[in-house]
C-alpha cells in the first residue's frame, strides 16, 4: 500500500525558510516521479516542484531560485527546501507521486500525480 506522509510545515515570517519532508513507502518500482503541490485558500492546486528517478527536475516559475527539491533514496524521503518565503507561498503543501511515469516532470507539474499525502500547512506572515 502506497503511503506518503508530509512533515515540516509551520509558520514563519516573510523572508524566512522552511524545509518540508515526505516519507514514502509502498513503492516497488525503480521508475517514479515525486513532487510537491500546494493549494492556497480559494485557489486551485498548483504544482511546485517535481523530480523523477533520473534526477530531472521541474519547478513552477513562481518558486524558481527560492525552492529546491531533493530526494534521499536511502531513506525514501523527498525534501523541499524553501527559502526567501513570501506571504503568497502560504498554502497547504502536498507530497505526490506516480510510479512508472509515462511523461517527464513538466507534465506532472501541470497535470498532477496519482498518489497523494494529506498535506502540511505552511503560513508566511508579512
Amino acid at each position: 500500500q502506497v503511503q506518503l506522509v508530509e512533515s515540516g510545515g509551520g509558520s514563519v515570517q516573510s523572508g524566512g525558510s522552511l524545509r518540508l519532508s515526505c516519507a514514502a513507502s509502498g513503492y516497488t518500482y525503480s521508475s517514479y516521479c515525486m513532487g510537491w503541490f500546494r493549494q492556497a485558500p480559494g485557489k486551485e492546486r498548483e504544482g511546485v516542484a517535481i523530480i523523477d528517478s533520473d534526477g530531472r527536475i521541474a519547478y513552477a516559475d513562481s518558486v524558481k531560485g527560492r525552492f529546491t527539491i531533493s530526494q534521499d533514496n536511502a531513506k525514501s524521503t523527498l525534501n523541499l527546501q524553501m527559502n526567501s518565503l513570501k506571504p503568497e507561498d502560504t498554502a497547504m503543501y502536498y507530497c505526490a507521486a506516480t510510479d512508472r511515469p509515462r511523461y517527464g516532470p513538466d507534465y506532472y507539474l501541470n497535470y498532477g500525480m496519482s498518489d497523494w499525502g494529506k498535506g502540511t500547512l505552511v503560513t508566511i506572515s508579512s
Side-chain angles (χ1 to χ4, degrees):
Q1 182 179 359
V2 169
Q3 190 171 21
L4 300 169
V5 179
E6 302 95 337
S7 61
S11 299
V12 297
Q13 290 190 329
S14 181
S17 298
L18 281 174
R19 184 177 178 87
L20 305 183
S21 293
C22 173
S25 61
Y27 288 97
T28 59
Y29 297 100
S30 60
S31 176
Y32 59 84
C33 259
M34 294 187 71
W36 295 93
F37 293 76
R38 66 186 182 186
Q39 187 166 19
K43 294 188 176 181
E44 293 187 354
R45 184 189 67 199
E46 63 173 343
V48 175
I50 306 292
I51 187 168
D52 71 7
S53 48
D54 292 326
R56 296 179 297 177
I57 294 174
Y59 289 105
D61 288 343
S62 58
V63 306
K64 283 181 181 177
R66 300 189 299 122
F67 291 12
T68 302
I69 190 171
S70 63
Q71 54 190 354
D72 183 336
N73 291 331
K75 297 181 180 179
S76 297
T77 301
L78 181 72
N79 301 304
L80 185 69
Q81 179 65 42
M82 305 186 295
N83 299 328
S84 302
L85 284 161
K86 305 175 181 180
E88 51 263 44
D89 294 318
T90 294
M92 185 70 79
Y93 283 71
Y94 298 91
C95 178
T98 292
D99 64 356
R100 293 179 293 172
R102 298 180 61 185
Y103 306 103
D106 285 303
Y107 175 90
Y108 294 105
L109 188 72
N110 287 293
Y111 295 107
M113 308 180 92
S114 58
D115 302 312
W116 297 85
K118 294 183 178 181
T120 186
L121 184 62
V122 171
T123 304
I124 312 302
S125 57
S126 57

